[in-house]
Amino acid sequence: MILVTKPYLPSREKLNQYIDGIYERNWLTNNGPLVQALTSRLEEYLGVENLLLVSNGTLALQIAYHALGINEPVNGKAAAAITTPFTFIATASSLKWDGIAPVFADIDPETWCLAPGNIEAAITPNTRAIVPVHVFGNACDVEAIDVIAQKHNLKVIYDASHAFGVKYQGESLLKHGDAATLSFHATKLFHTGEGGAIVFKRKEDLKRAKKLINFGITGPETIEELGINAKMNELQAAMGLCVLDEMEENLKARAEVWQRYEETLGKPLQLQAKHQTLGYNCAYFPVVFDSEEKAVRVAAALKENGVLARRYFYPSLESVECLDAQADQPVSKDIASRILCLPIFDQLAQSDQRMIITLIEAERKA
Ligand code: T4K
């Protein structure tokens, strides 16, 4: 099968060397030397400060909520956060899991990110934060969101799980918001098997988060506040250091795959509209068909030929019962019903990609 993605596996020899070091030091987790090394390397690579490595992208979101205090009730009632329904379940479920009510506002029909124009109507006295998603690595309208957040005294936490290495107006997109979170899951462009990170705007928030990921412990005999275990371990960091060393080759190969799709499918199908200054990371290749029926038919035809495209992100989250069903978000619902993410990874053979494109073109015209 050709799957929607294929984890990037770096040099085995180099990974073995890192593992030898772990055996020699007998130090496996709790802020070990490889976690420290990966933290500095990522800060430098991404051009950011105040980066904290954690054990996965979901905990990255949850630690950010706690570090910024948005989980604290408002006048005895659960806090709320405004977020997008067009995302992976973890964005909204992490809020609910932490006792914060996710309140959906609809997306922009072109960029597929939370539309700033829909945010203010969803704000109530319980709203503490906005949690937009740079979906598929596209930049949200960060300036407009910032204006709304300032006006209503709300925190902004960007779920930037898909936005590793993305540049916006020449700088890291991760610099926007009070915090931005990343997922380093195996299926991501940069990965540590499982893993994630948070980039904080302020040093004091980073300091608190460092405490929170280690049970609130600050010394051998001091526990300052309630925390959890969200630490990255040395084996994860070893994988990350190896993947990072090969990032340029990986990016180059993906960009070629991305371009070939764009050249052939960009005209007949709807692609995600991106800001003109966006330095994109080619993490995903989503396409929108003119009807749900067509999207489903194309997915079935691909599957028959051994290709698994995915309906990311279907269904639109306002319809997910465990999140407490909410009013329809028509734009998100519509895009979610017609979208398919096509296989994209560095080793996708040109002949396989040609086969995928040919099948899509045939079904589209049928
Ligand atoms: N926020 C956003 C916006 C996210 O997209 C995500 C995760 C998160 C937060 C949470 O971050 P983490 O806590 O996960 O770090 C996959 C990933 O598991 C998930 O990390 C990712 N988003 C999401 C978009 O995709 P599924 O349910 O699609 O996973 P699964 O098992 O179906 O795998 C996807 C494809 O990759 C399949 O075709 C199989 C293939 N695969 C998968 C794995 C794990 C492999 O070939 N090898 C592998 O090792 O969620």
Side-chain angles (χ1 to χ4, degrees):
M1 286 298 262
I2 301 171
L3 304 178
V4 69
T5 184
K6 186 171 181 180
Y8 184 87
L9 289 178
S11 155
R12 182 68 190 269
E13 210 185 348
K14 192 176 270 179
L15 185 61
N16 284 347
Q17 285 168 11
Y18 279 116
I19 292 174
D20 287 345
I22 295 174
Y23 270 68
E24 277 158 28
R25 286 187 295 275
N26 216 332
W27 194 273
L28 278 83
T29 185
N30 291 11
N31 199 27
L34 298 185
V35 164
Q36 290 176 31
L38 183 60
T39 304
S40 330
R41 292 266 320 267
L42 283 174
E43 285 187 340
E44 195 190 331
Y45 179 88
L46 297 168
V48 298
E49 290 180 337
N50 305 327
L51 181 144
L52 181 66
L53 289 171
V54 293
S55 45
N56 62 59
T58 306
L59 276 163
L61 285 163
Q62 291 179 263
I63 295 294
Y65 305 151
H66 283 257
L68 295 165
I70 71 154
N71 59 310
E72 286 156 24
V74 184
N75 301 323
K77 286 200 182 139
I82 293 159
T83 188
T84 164
F86 187 67
T87 178
F88 188 62
I89 180 71
T91 316
S93 61
S94 60
L95 285 165
K96 179 122 196 254
W97 193 267
D98 272 345
I100 307 159
V103 176
F104 297 115
D106 213 347
I107 57 168
D108 179 274
E110 307 295 325
T111 66
W112 312 336
C113 294
L114 186 59
N118 297 329
I119 295 175
E120 283 194 290
I123 296 175
T124 69
N126 287 8
T127 310
R128 277 204 189 273
I130 310 172
V131 182
V133 179
H134 296 308
V135 73
F136 303 130
N138 198 13
C140 294
D141 188 342
V142 289
E143 288 88 6
I145 290 172
D146 196 37
V147 168
I148 297 167
Q150 301 260 350
K151 181 173 160 199
H152 296 274
N153 196 21
L154 303 174
K155 300 282 190 205
V156 181
I157 294 155
Y158 282 105
D159 181 340
S161 291
H162 307 161
F164 185 88
V166 172
K167 291 262 166 73
Y168 176 74
Q169 297 191 329
E171 287 212 67
S172 173
L173 181 57
L174 305 170
K175 288 188 169 179
H176 293 272
D178 297 283
T181 67
L182 290 159
S183 162
F184 299 157
H185 183 263
T187 54
K188 296 290 192 290
L189 175 64
F190 168 81
H191 76 90
T192 56
E194 289 271 4
I198 314 161
V199 174
F200 287 101
K201 179 153 281 168
R202 289 171 291 272
K203 221 161 221 51
E204 60 265 31
D205 296 329
L206 168 72
K207 211 170 148 207
R208 184 169 183 207
K210 276 186 177 170
K211 222 174 5 177
L212 297 179
I213 65 167
N214 189 30
F215 315 100
I217 291 174
T218 48
E221 288 157 25
T222 47
I223 301 152
E224 262 182 29
E225 64 173 314
L226 194 68
I228 190 86
N229 181 1
K231 290 164 282 150
M232 177 174 277
N233 69 49
E234 291 289 278
L235 288 156
Q236 290 173 294
M239 176 61 92
L241 286 162
C242 294
V243 174
L244 195 57
D245 276 346
E246 295 171 25
M247 213 53 211
E248 293 318 308
E249 296 96 297
N250 184 2
L251 283 172
K252 192 166 165 273
R254 294 179 78 101
E256 284 167 11
V257 174
W258 201 94
Q259 241 162 347
R260 283 196 290 271
Y261 274 138
E262 194 199 24
E263 278 160 15
T264 47
L265 300 174
K267 273 237 167 76
L269 297 172
Q270 183 188 345
L271 304 188
Q272 187 177 29
K274 300 191 185 70
H275 192 273
Q276 55 190 1
T277 72
L278 197 80
Y280 189 49
N281 62 6
C282 302
Y284 292 85
F285 198 88
V287 286
V288 168
F289 293 86
D290 53 21
S291 70
E292 177 167 18
E293 190 231 326
K294 213 162 252 184
V296 171
R297 220 175 53 217
V298 169
L302 290 171
K303 197 171 171 191
E304 264 173 42
N305 287 275
V307 179
L308 260 195
R310 288 290 294 263
R311 295 184 81 188
Y312 291 140
F313 289 105
Y314 177 88
S316 185
L317 293 182
E318 79 276 14
S319 65
V320 173
E321 247 177 67
C322 62
L323 293 174
D324 303 331
Q326 297 182 30
D328 259 7
Q329 303 297 325
V331 181
S332 172
K333 198 174 165 186
D334 176 47
I335 298 289
S337 73
R338 295 189 283 127
I339 202 162
L340 275 189
C341 278
L342 305 182
I344 182 164
F345 47 90
D346 64 304
Q347 286 168 38
L348 184 61
Q350 281 201 42
S351 53
D352 287 336
Q353 192 178 9
R354 265 198 304 275
M355 180 262 289
I356 294 169
I357 292 165
T358 308
L359 280 166
I360 293 174
E361 277 301 74
E363 279 303 319
R364 188 184 67 76
K365 288 178 189 152

